[in-house]
Amino acid sequence: MKIAPFLIFFSIVLVIYGMINTYIFTRFMQSIPAGSSEKIWIILFWVLAGSFIVARFLERAYPCNFTEVMTWVGSLWLGAMTYFVLALFLIDFARLINHFFPFLPRIFYIDYQKTKLIALFITIGLVMMIVLAGFINARTPGIRTLELHIAKKVKGAKTLKIAMASDIHLGTLIGKRGASRLVSMINGLHPDIVLFAGDLVDEDLKPVIRRNLGETLKNLSAPLGIYAITGNHEYIGGAAEAVTYLTAHNIRFLSDTVELIDDRFYLAGRDDRDKSRFTGKPRKPLEDILKGIDHSFPIILMDHQPFQLSIPEQLGVDLQLSGHTHHGQIWPFNYITNAIYEVSWGYKKKRNTNIYVSCGFGTWGPPMRLGNRPEIVSIILTFD
């Protein structure tokens, strides 16, 4: 990965993060009565606001229990920060409208300091309830079932049961319990094959190794095997190390390659499109990956980021499986992913190509989900 672009990107993110927190802090302190232990509130706020940044450095340099606590605190703050900003924007917008077109009751101004303090506590209470609801939702994944027919003849069984998951983000926040839940839910589907469509690990591999999560994944069971591709987060943390570790725990990676499975169907897997940004090496064009295969067989493709969906359509792919978007993960970011991606979450058919984009199983950043539910996708394919 090139250092200069990374430093520029990180600096921009840090400045924006600092500005957002400064805005929240300023509005927060305006609601606190003078002499109300201001120093304690100041210290508490900036410990919360700074914990995520500190944890990102410590996670790589000094992984330990303290780092895990800081990661949890900082990640929860990211979610709370989002809804504090939204709440404050609404309040400030209402105040702006009221300035030109007064509509707020006079009782609000009898004791304005008291009104501000009550508004602060109500806002904190609402945000805490939203964070709690998002946290609970993120910890209760469901099964989404998709039944599809591919009009191609195959040898042997005419049905294929696929368990597909993406964006697991194993690490500090998705640890032993999350990995065990993943394995239990997948094995409960009794799939013929398991497919992981990228971001199996959450950047840094150290927490995965320290918790021995690979041993949990070895309990996955599928007669045709467990396959995976890299996502952008594998490359952020070092794809080679992640692939080596996971391969040693019975997960087979497809790296711009295609395999004929059970003499019935082709399974192709692409390296993540961010590969060139982190390694300086481009991934293969899909046309080169599929070159020379027999198109009378069903073709299943895993590609982490669902861009350029017309390409697999043109090349005769029967089913593409993707993830990456998280469908925004928390509202209202789903509006952004809907604007960026042709499919942010769910199913779409383009001529003879079936496409499914999963919102993912795990989380990145805030350990919350609002506006979507984490999922494992059970795909029942039938053939002629």
Side-chain angles (χ1 to χ4, degrees):
M1 183 178 180
K2 296 179 180 178
I3 299 298
F6 170 76
L7 290 176
I8 293 171
F9 173 77
F10 180 76
S11 298
I12 293 171
V13 170
L14 197 61
V15 168
I16 294 172
Y17 183 79
M19 290 173 65
I20 291 171
N21 279 285
T22 299
Y23 169 63
I24 297 172
F25 173 75
T26 301
R27 298 290 285 109
F28 177 82
M29 293 306 296
Q30 287 172 354
S31 301
I32 300 294
S36 301
S37 305
E38 289 183 0
K39 288 185 178 179
I40 295 175
W41 290 114
I42 292 170
I43 293 171
L44 177 61
F45 180 90
W46 288 111
V47 166
L48 288 172
S51 55
F52 184 76
I53 302 298
V54 173
R56 298 300 290 175
F57 284 105
L58 289 179
E59 196 170 37
R60 291 175 181 270
Y62 186 63
C64 61
N65 292 334
F66 174 74
T67 302
E68 288 191 10
V69 171
M70 291 294 286
T71 300
W72 273 101
V73 171
S75 298
L76 286 167
W77 174 254
L78 280 183
M81 180 186 78
T82 300
Y83 292 103
F84 275 128
V85 167
L86 289 174
L88 289 172
F89 278 172
L90 287 174
I91 292 170
D92 286 346
F93 182 70
R95 291 174 63 208
L96 179 64
I97 298 299
N98 186 71
H99 178 76
F100 294 102
F101 306 100
F103 67 92
L104 292 175
R106 290 181 58 84
I107 193 172
F108 281 26
Y109 300 97
I110 294 174
D111 187 343
Y112 192 47
Q113 183 60 56
K114 184 179 179 180
T115 299
K116 290 193 292 182
L117 190 61
I118 291 172
L120 172 64
F121 286 133
I122 290 173
T123 302
I124 292 173
L126 288 173
V127 169
M128 288 178 67
M129 286 191 289
I130 291 170
V131 170
L132 179 61
F135 177 81
I136 293 171
N137 184 46
R139 289 299 182 270
T140 53
I143 302 292
R144 178 171 289 241
T145 301
L146 192 65
E147 297 183 359
L148 301 172
H149 180 74
I150 294 176
K152 290 183 176 180
K153 294 182 179 180
V154 298
K155 300 175 184 177
K158 305 300 181 184
T159 301
L160 178 68
K161 295 175 67 176
I162 301 171
M164 175 264 191
S166 73
D167 304 278
I168 317 301
H169 292 282
L170 293 174
T172 300
L173 301 183
I174 308 295
K176 197 78 171 181
R177 184 177 298 177
S180 297
R181 185 185 299 118
L182 173 75
V183 170
S184 176
M185 292 179 69
I186 288 177
N187 286 345
L189 296 173
H190 305 290
D192 298 314
I193 191 169
V194 176
L195 304 178
F196 290 119
D199 283 359
L200 189 51
V201 299
D202 188 31
E203 301 173 16
D204 192 0
L205 193 61
K206 292 186 183 73
V208 177
I209 296 173
R210 191 154 66 95
R211 296 180 173 193
N212 202 19
L213 301 184
E215 285 300 312
T216 304
L217 296 178
K218 286 177 74 172
N219 293 320
L220 286 165
S221 177
L224 298 182
I226 295 94
Y227 289 82
I229 56 170
T230 54
N232 57 309
H233 280 261
E234 275 87 11
Y235 282 102
I236 292 171
E241 295 82 357
V243 169
T244 298
Y245 175 82
L246 294 168
T247 299
H249 292 86
N250 297 345
I251 296 176
R252 184 175 178 82
F253 274 79
L254 296 175
S255 179
D256 281 345
T257 54
V258 60
E259 290 189 10
L260 180 61
I261 308 293
D262 198 33
D263 202 28
R264 281 199 292 159
F265 63 93
Y266 284 105
L267 177 63
R270 302 195 72 182
D271 286 338
D272 186 70
R273 75 194 303 265
D274 283 348
K275 175 183 179 179
S276 60
R277 185 156 65 94
F278 289 94
T279 68
K281 300 176 182 178
R283 65 175 183 170
K284 284 184 184 178
L286 183 57
E287 184 177 6
D288 291 352
I289 297 171
L290 301 180
K291 189 175 183 180
I293 69 171
D294 185 348
H295 278 72
S296 67
F297 286 82
I299 302 168
I300 300 172
L301 169 68
M302 290 193 291
D303 191 358
H304 180 59
Q305 300 189 42
F307 285 105
Q308 298 179 309
L309 299 181
S310 60
I311 294 177
E313 173 196 357
Q314 293 164 5
L315 295 175
V317 170
D318 296 294
L319 173 63
Q320 173 168 326
L321 301 173
S322 299
H324 180 67
T325 70
H326 292 222
H327 194 51
Q329 190 167 307
I330 58 175
W331 183 90
F333 296 123
N334 54 296
Y335 292 110
I336 297 175
T337 57
N338 276 329
I340 294 173
Y341 301 97
E342 185 176 348
V343 183
S344 173
W345 177 27
Y347 173 78
K348 183 172 185 175
K349 189 167 186 177
K350 293 171 72 71
R351 291 198 297 183
N352 293 322
T353 300
N354 300 279
I355 297 161
Y356 189 82
V357 178
S358 176
C359 67
F361 179 86
T363 58
W364 182 88
M368 303 162 49
R369 280 186 178 269
L370 288 165
N372 59 82
R373 187 182 180 189
E375 64 182 15
I376 292 171
V377 189
S378 175
I379 304 170
I380 312 299
L381 286 185
T382 57
F383 310 104
D384 288 346

